[in-house]
Each structure stands twice: as structure tokens, then as C-alpha cells.
Amino acid sequence: MPRDLMSRVFTTTSASNIPSNHYALCGLWDFAGQKEFYATHQAFLTNSAIYLVVADMKDDISKQDASQYSADFRNVGEYVDFWFDTIHCHRSVEPPEDEPFNEFIDPPVILVLTGKDKFGEETIENTLIEERKTKIQTQLDMVLGDQHKYHHLRDIICLSNTTDPDVKFVELQQKISSIILGMAHWGQHLPLKWILLEHLIEINKTDGNNFINFSDMENLAKHNDINMKDIDEVKLFLRFQHEVGNVIYFEDIQDFIILNPKWLVDAFRCLVSDKIDGRLQHRTDWTKFKQNGTISESLITELFKSKCGNQFLDQRENLFKVMEKFDILVKIAETSSYIMPSMMTPVLYDEVCTLIGIKQPNCKRSSWLCLKFSFLPPAYFHHVSVWFIKEYESSKVVYKTHSLALFRGICVFDIDSKSGCEKILVTMSKDTIAIQLLSFQKERQN
């Protein structure tokens, strides 16, 4: 721990005479595109960030359709609508309903279109690049239209990773800087001791400390230059750091404060990556996990061991708690297994109806209760399904390796767990979560 923290923070940089406190600490995150990782994005998406949504310039920007909520996106262009939905969840402003709204919303988004070189050299005579950009702008107008999420967009920039000179990327950096300076969080007044403690956390992260307990955090806060002795203030500081995405902190798991959020994703990657020890591929529980999202504690232990040694294994129980907080994992009652919602397999609605027997004469169905949203990120259904898994017993089915009626975008639960005759079906479409009650009459025996 540095003794003179104050001078370390408020010094001049080696490259200039500008005090380093004129700069801001920032992290650069490259989000994994696979659906399995969507559940971890919530640990990083924050209102105080600026987002670059990158798409291939040749791909059309198309709206998500219902099928994409149970299957993978077909091309990069389809990600754009998805990302605007996801980022909009962390907006700073709730625009007024049924009123014109002409302001920008934080967090800002820059749409970066790559592959500009595929449309020829950027010359006065070549109008293909500008024509393509105009077409994409028109597509954005059609897809996002008058929806509030469109107000996150600040600019559309076309680049080539292969032919553009460095000055083009410097211009992008300058654009990012100018947008950041206009954000509400920039220049926010914070207590000096909070700034010093944040820098002390960064020093610990640089030294390879990925997590810390609350007692050690208290000791950091008692550094001579910080002198933060009030436990409630330490908790307030940690809540703020959690909100802006610098750390992961929950008061009911306060002895496990994750200083480096990427470490949590690395732990998650150990579980979902296909690159595994060959001997694990022959385990029945590995096959079951890949096919229906059910993962046993013993398999988790083996995956941590084989891929990452002891760095996650020693903190396995705490990682379980944090992943459950984020709804990345949910415990199956009275078992030693978990469900990972992001790994649940897609199944057609009609197939589920057949499995459950919904179309049989002895099944009575209620009207649908439909919750319609102006935007609905696919990963949001993970949180919905986790709530139902905790509250109700999942219905039993016989389908390939599935024993529970838990699928991506559609789940069925027993209201009456003894007879299984009363059920609740929960499903989602592109902007709607729908719930229906099912009642099965038992056949009378003569």
C-alpha cells in the first residue's frame, strides 16, 4: 500500500506537465457476442459509459423478429436493434409518455460501421460510401423510428480497419472525448477521499488482487490520506462503485467484493466455453449441461479445476452467491444442481404444447395475460424465469435430455406440485411476456 497516496494521485504525467487529476480512469470492455454471455453483460453495462456498437457496413440493419428470441442472430446487422434495447435498460432519463421528446439520452451510443474499403476508395468521385451510410440511416429510422432508445445515438462513423490512416481513428477518439464531456456524470463532484480510495482499489487490481473482503476494504479506507472510518460511508462508496461498474458489491455478500468485474466473466467463461478437457466430454452431466442448461456442482468444480486451477475453485461458494444474485445461476430445489438460464435450449412453442399436453381435450386454458413492453432484451427473460423457478416447481417432461420444462423463452411450472394438474406457462415474444394458466382434468376410472 503506497504511503503517500495523495502525491501519487495528484502528480504530473511523464508525457506532459498536465496534472494527472485532469484525466479520468476508464475501462475498455469488449462484450462477448454469444448469447451465453448476455447474462454477464449486466455486470458492466452502466449509465456512466459510452458505447460503440460495431457492425459490418455491408449488413442491413434489421429489426429483431420473434424467432430471434429463441435462436441466434443471423447476421451482425440484427445485433444493432438488440444492443439499443440492452443499453436503453441503463438510461439516465425516463422520457415522458405520449409527449414529443427531442433530447439526447445517456448513455450515448456511436454506431461504428466497419468495412468501408469494400465500397471503394474514399474520393470525391466515389459516392458509394455516402450512399451506403444514407441507406443505413434510413434503415435505422425504420427500425428504431420514434422509439425513445433512438435518442442514445450520437453519430454514425464509417471506418476501414485495413486502409484508413491513423488520423481517422484519432478523430473517433476525439468524438468519444467530446461526447463524454457533455455527459451528466462528467465533472461530478465527489469527496476527495472517495477519489483516493478508488485509486487505491486500482492499485490493488494492478497488483493482481481480484477480490477483497469487507474487513480488508475497511483497512484500505483507513489509509492515512483517506481516513474513512465510518462503516456506513464505506458501504455508500461501494454502492456507488457498484453502480458505475467499477466493482461488484452486494451488502449481503459483503465479505466477497469483486474488484475486477472481468474476473467474474472469466469464471463464467470457464463454465460455458466449449474448450474443455477431453475426459469431461464423456461425462453425462456435461452432455446434460450443454443440452438443457442443468449444471451440477461437481461439474462446476471439475471445470474450474481443468481450466483455471484454484483461482476460482477456492472462491466457488462465493462465486455461486454472486452468480445467483445476477440470475446467472439458480439452484434447483433439493438438489446439488443449478440451472443456467442462458444455456437453456430453444424449443418451438408447438413442441412444448405437445410435451405438456396442452392441446389434449382434458386441458383447460385461461386467457393470456400479456405484458407488452416498448423494448424487451432477450436476456430479460432470464430474470423472469429465475423468479418462477424459485417460486414454483418446474414441470416434468420427457424430451431428449430434458427432465424439466425449462427452455429458452418458454417455461412451464406446477402450481399444484402434488398432482401436477395445475400449471402456469410463461413465454416471450419480441416485445411481450405472456402468462397462461393450465388445468388438466384427471381421467375418471371406471
Side-chain angles (χ1 to χ4, degrees):
M1 185 184 297
R3 291 183 179 180
D4 193 356
L5 182 62
M6 187 80 74
S7 63
R8 180 164 179 163
V9 174
F10 297 99
T11 58
T12 57
T13 64
S14 59
S16 70
N17 291 321
I18 302 173
S20 61
N21 59 302
H22 285 201
Y23 294 89
L25 291 172
C26 65
L28 181 63
W29 300 102
D30 181 9
F31 291 99
Q34 299 93 331
K35 279 185 180 291
E36 291 79 11
F37 287 94
Y38 290 173
T40 65
H41 291 170
Q42 59 189 304
F44 307 94
L45 293 168
T46 168
N47 181 44
S48 59
I50 181 170
Y51 296 89
L52 305 185
V53 176
V54 183
D56 194 315
M57 196 169 176
K58 66 178 175 57
D59 285 334
D60 289 331
I61 306 299
S62 56
K63 192 170 183 63
Q64 302 171 82
D65 59 39
S67 66
Q68 290 167 239
Y69 286 80
S70 59
D72 292 326
F73 295 106
R74 291 183 291 268
N75 58 62
V76 175
E78 293 176 341
Y79 275 100
V80 173
D81 188 32
F82 159 76
W83 275 110
F84 271 85
D85 275 350
T86 303
I87 293 167
H88 192 54
C89 288
H90 299 268
R91 62 195 179 278
S92 60
V93 175
E94 186 64 52
E97 293 290 337
D98 303 321
E99 292 182 27
F101 185 77
N102 302 313
E103 304 293 331
F104 284 134
I105 300 176
D106 285 343
V109 175
I110 298 175
L111 179 59
V112 179
L113 302 173
T114 61
K116 184 178 67 175
D117 52 287
K118 297 171 185 174
F119 295 85
E121 293 185 20
E122 194 171 11
T123 62
I124 297 175
E125 294 79 14
N126 184 9
T127 61
L128 292 177
I129 295 174
E130 198 59 37
E131 288 172 1
R132 180 58 184 164
K133 183 177 178 180
T134 301
K135 184 176 180 180
I136 289 177
Q137 179 70 69
T138 302
Q139 291 173 350
L140 277 173
D141 292 340
M142 294 292 293
V143 171
L144 303 181
D146 58 355
Q147 299 176 66
H148 289 145
K149 62 186 177 184
Y150 205 177
H151 294 273
H152 293 283
L153 183 65
R154 299 298 198 270
D155 204 352
I156 301 174
I157 294 177
C158 302
L159 288 174
S160 169
N161 295 333
T162 57
T163 61
D164 270 343
D166 290 345
V167 66
K168 291 292 185 180
F169 295 91
V170 171
E171 289 173 2
L172 175 58
Q173 291 174 337
Q174 292 172 342
K175 170 64 70 173
I176 293 170
S177 297
S178 65
I179 291 173
I180 289 173
L181 290 173
M183 292 177 66
H185 284 84
W186 184 261
Q188 183 179 15
H189 293 288
L190 295 173
L192 174 59
K193 51 189 171 182
W194 283 28
I195 297 171
L196 295 173
L197 184 52
E198 181 178 322
H199 277 265
L200 196 51
I201 288 174
E202 289 299 321
I203 292 170
N204 273 266
K205 288 163 66 173
T206 302
D207 291 342
N209 298 318
N210 293 309
F211 55 87
I212 194 173
N213 60 41
F214 190 79
S215 177
D216 288 339
M217 179 60 73
E218 281 187 278
N219 289 333
L220 292 182
K222 291 175 182 176
H223 186 284
N224 290 335
D225 288 345
I226 301 173
N227 198 30
M228 192 189 302
K229 298 179 180 179
D230 186 345
I231 292 178
D232 289 336
E233 185 176 8
V234 175
K235 290 180 179 179
L236 183 62
F237 165 81
L238 288 170
R239 286 197 295 270
F240 173 79
Q241 292 292 313
H242 178 90
E243 287 174 6
V244 299
N246 287 341
V247 304
I248 295 175
Y249 165 72
F250 296 103
E251 287 199 45
D252 54 349
I253 322 175
Q254 65 179 20
D255 275 336
F256 186 61
I257 303 164
I258 298 178
L259 302 180
N260 181 10
K262 182 180 178 295
W263 185 76
L264 176 65
V265 176
D266 290 340
F268 183 70
R269 184 179 287 111
C270 283
L271 305 183
V272 300
S273 173
D274 287 328
K275 297 178 180 178
I276 64 168
D277 188 324
R279 63 186 177 83
L280 294 180
Q281 291 181 335
H282 301 287
R283 287 180 58 133
T284 303
D285 51 359
W286 169 256
T287 302
K288 193 174 182 181
F289 172 52
K290 296 300 289 184
Q291 293 185 355
N292 64 32
T294 303
I295 186 167
S296 65
E297 288 186 1
S298 63
L299 179 58
I300 292 174
T301 299
E302 288 301 317
L303 289 170
F304 280 160
K305 276 183 183 178
S306 64
K307 293 184 181 182
C308 310
N310 292 327
Q311 67 161 319
F312 301 124
L313 192 59
D314 293 343
Q315 295 297 323
R316 192 186 70 161
E317 296 303 320
N318 283 324
L319 282 168
F320 285 166
K321 292 176 184 177
V322 172
M323 288 187 182
E324 286 187 86
K325 277 287 186 180
F326 282 120
D327 292 339
I328 294 172
L329 291 175
V330 57
K331 189 75 178 287
I332 302 175
E334 300 178 358
T335 72
S336 59
S337 295
Y338 292 83
I339 290 288
M340 188 178 290
S342 62
M343 292 292 288
M344 293 193 297
T345 50
V347 175
L348 295 175
Y349 173 77
D350 286 343
E351 285 189 77
V352 176
C353 289
T354 301
L355 288 170
I356 300 297
I358 291 176
K359 296 181 180 180
Q360 296 299 318
N362 67 327
C363 177
K364 292 184 178 180
R365 294 184 281 175
S366 70
S367 299
W368 286 100
L369 171 63
C370 295
L371 307 175
K372 189 173 177 62
F373 298 81
S374 57
F375 69 102
L376 185 59
Y380 184 77
F381 191 75
H382 296 166
H383 302 292
V384 175
S385 59
V386 165
W387 185 88
F388 276 97
I389 290 170
K390 290 178 178 178
E391 293 294 320
Y392 298 100
E393 187 174 322
S394 303
S395 295
K396 305 291 191 298
V397 293
V398 178
Y399 177 76
K400 297 181 180 178
T401 61
H402 289 72
S403 59
L404 301 175
L406 301 174
F407 306 99
R408 186 186 295 174
I410 180 168
C411 301
V412 186
F413 304 92
D414 292 340
I415 300 175
D416 178 3
S417 58
K418 291 183 179 180
S419 68
C421 292
E422 307 294 327
K423 300 180 185 292
I424 185 167
L425 184 151
V426 186
T427 186
M428 74 174 294
S429 182
K430 61 182 180 180
D431 60 359
T432 304
I433 291 177
I435 300 172
Q436 187 177 57
L437 297 178
L438 310 173
S439 179
F440 293 85
Q441 295 178 339
K442 289 186 176 180
E443 296 182 1
R444 294 182 179 178
Q445 295 181 349
N446 295 327

